[in-house]
């Protein structure tokens, strides 16, 4: 493999329903490295590992293993709950990406901020989490959010989660802390909930959602993370979290984006995430507009 990564157990089945293997995962990351790395670079990374495939034991991993090669870059961050530093991996190179794949890291979940200014995120994120089998509800809410963003003259970008929902990102200038980011996200989420009270809730407790879509703003916090664009998911069809244009949402089929199909799509369209991403926006304007509406 490129970068001197020595793969192992390439024939191990990772997605039983699709017959896809660990080798297929490494081939996928090898093929799409140029587009996923910019979305990961300099961001503390949490990975979800599946050593025996998606039907086996899995776990989230924040701390880079001590056996990691010395060329794997890390950033130490104090974890108050553990009372020690956690050495997060920084996936800044293809060989690190392939090393992670060889560790059965199927899902890659970066922070919303980057080293240098880790207390200042460069995105707001909204996780539109519908009840199972109701992706169309997520589309409805995302389009309602788009109308609201247009009203405030705010630009966002959208991607499938690769699971059952949709993620909406708003790029922001790196000069505000997480407290301000969360306040802005909460203001916008409240507006969406007020527009569609029978469809949307910001209620964290599952029992109180009453079958409504959960509009989750919880990722807008230090230490929180969300699955990266182009990351595979531990779903039976080996789906991928994939960016789409707003005008594609009504007809998008999330199951179209898999580790089998995405390399060809990227080969034809290039880095869709980069092409769709708006300019970073002034959060102070977003805060005042959201609060005043």
């Amino acid at each position: 493999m490129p970068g001197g990564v020595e793969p192992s157990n390439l024939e191990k089945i990772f997605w039983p329903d699709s017959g896809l293997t660990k080798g297929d995962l490494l081939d996928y990351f090898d093929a799409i490295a140029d587009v996923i790395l910019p979305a990961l670079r300099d961001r503390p990374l949490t990975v979800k590992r599946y050593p025996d495939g998606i039907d086996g034991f899995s776990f989230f991993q924040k701390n880079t293993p001590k056996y990691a090669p010395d060329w794997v870059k890390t950033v130490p961050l104090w974890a108050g709950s553990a009372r020690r530093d956690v050495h997060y991996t920084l996936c800044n190179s293809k060989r690190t990406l392939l090393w992670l794949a060889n560790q059965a890291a199927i899902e890659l979940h970066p922070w919303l901020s980057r080293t240098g200014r880790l207390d200042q995120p460069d995105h707001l994120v909204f996780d539109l989490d519908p009840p199972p089998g109701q992706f169309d509800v997520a589309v409805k809410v995302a389009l309602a959010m788009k109308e609201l963003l247009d009203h405030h003259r705010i630009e966002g970008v959208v991607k499938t989660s690769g699971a059952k929902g949709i993620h909406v990102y708003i790029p922001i200038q790196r000069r505000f802390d997480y407290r301000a980011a969360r306040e802005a996200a909460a203001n916008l989420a409240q507006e969406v909930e007020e527009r569609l009270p029978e469809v949307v809730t910001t209620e964290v407790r599952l029992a109180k959602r009453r079958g409504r879509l959960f509009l989750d703003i919880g990722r807008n916090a230090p230490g929180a993370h969300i699955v990266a664009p182009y990351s595979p998911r531990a779903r039976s069809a080996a789906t991928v979290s994939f960016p789409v244009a707003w005008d594609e949402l009504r007809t998008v089929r999330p199951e179209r984006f898999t580790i089998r199909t995405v390399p060809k799509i990227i080969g034809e369209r290039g880095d869709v995430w980069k092409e769709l991403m708006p300019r970073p926006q002034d959060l102070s304007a977003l805060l005042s507009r959201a609060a005043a509406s």
Side-chain angles (χ1 to χ4, degrees):
M1 293 294 291
V5 175
E6 294 296 332
S8 60
N9 300 319
L10 294 181
E11 299 306 314
K12 181 177 282 188
I13 299 293
F14 271 13
W15 286 273
D17 289 353
S18 307
L20 292 165
T21 65
K22 182 180 179 182
D24 292 316
L25 177 66
L26 269 83
D27 287 344
Y28 172 74
F29 279 134
D30 186 30
I32 61 99
D34 288 346
V35 297
I36 196 172
L37 284 173
L40 300 173
R41 187 166 288 115
D42 293 332
R43 299 181 188 276
L45 185 65
T46 297
V47 299
K48 193 167 187 183
R49 293 175 58 183
Y50 294 81
D52 297 311
I54 67 167
D55 291 342
F57 170 71
S58 65
F59 59 98
F60 280 104
Q61 181 173 284
K62 297 181 178 181
N63 202 36
T64 306
K66 291 183 178 179
Y67 59 77
D70 57 10
W71 42 260
V72 173
K73 293 184 177 181
T74 63
V75 57
L77 298 173
W78 178 254
S81 58
R83 301 187 61 79
R84 63 181 176 87
D85 280 340
V86 172
H87 294 261
Y88 284 87
T89 298
L90 298 176
C91 188
N92 291 356
S93 67
K94 179 185 273 195
R95 66 176 177 173
T96 299
L97 181 66
L98 297 178
W99 176 78
L100 288 169
N102 199 47
Q103 301 299 304
I106 289 177
E107 298 189 1
L108 308 179
H109 297 248
W111 280 31
L112 298 181
S113 53
R114 292 175 279 143
T115 54
R117 282 182 278 173
L118 279 171
D119 59 336
Q120 296 172 317
D122 50 15
H123 293 97
L124 297 186
V125 170
F126 302 82
D127 183 1
L128 281 57
D129 184 16
Q134 296 187 35
F135 183 77
D136 59 323
V137 174
V139 170
K140 177 179 180 179
V141 175
L143 292 174
M145 180 172 283
K146 176 63 164 61
E147 290 182 4
L148 180 60
L149 295 177
D150 289 345
H151 172 73
H152 290 305
R153 297 184 181 178
I154 298 166
E155 295 182 272
V157 65
V158 64
K159 67 181 178 70
T160 67
S161 71
K164 60 186 177 73
I166 288 173
H167 298 153
V168 176
Y169 284 61
I170 299 172
I172 59 175
Q173 296 169 1
R174 289 181 73 194
R175 58 188 184 90
F176 301 92
D177 62 16
Y178 273 102
R179 179 203 56 77
R182 191 177 182 93
E183 181 181 345
N187 285 336
L188 288 169
Q190 182 179 0
E191 284 194 76
V192 176
E193 187 175 22
E194 288 171 354
R195 288 192 175 197
L196 296 170
E198 301 303 316
V199 178
V200 177
T201 181
T202 55
E203 174 57 61
V204 174
R205 291 166 292 183
L206 182 61
K208 297 207 170 203
R209 295 181 196 167
R210 304 198 309 273
R212 292 171 292 176
L213 176 144
F214 176 41
L215 182 52
D216 185 3
I217 64 165
R219 315 304 176 93
N220 300 286
H225 51 78
I226 192 166
V227 72
Y230 307 121
S231 173
R233 301 304 304 268
R235 312 289 286 193
S236 61
T239 45
V240 168
S241 180
F242 198 83
V244 295
W246 286 104
D247 59 8
E248 293 179 290
L249 264 185
R250 293 188 188 278
T251 57
V252 73
R253 292 182 295 107
E255 65 275 11
R256 174 190 172 209
F257 306 114
T258 72
I259 69 168
R260 280 194 173 117
T261 62
V262 163
K264 183 174 186 295
I265 295 171
I266 290 173
E268 295 170 348
R269 297 179 56 182
D271 187 350
V272 185
W273 185 242
K274 179 181 178 181
E275 292 300 318
L276 293 175
M277 183 63 67
R279 73 194 188 288
Q281 288 150 104
D282 185 344
L283 188 55
S284 59
L286 190 155
L287 274 165
S288 61
R289 288 172 182 167
S293 62

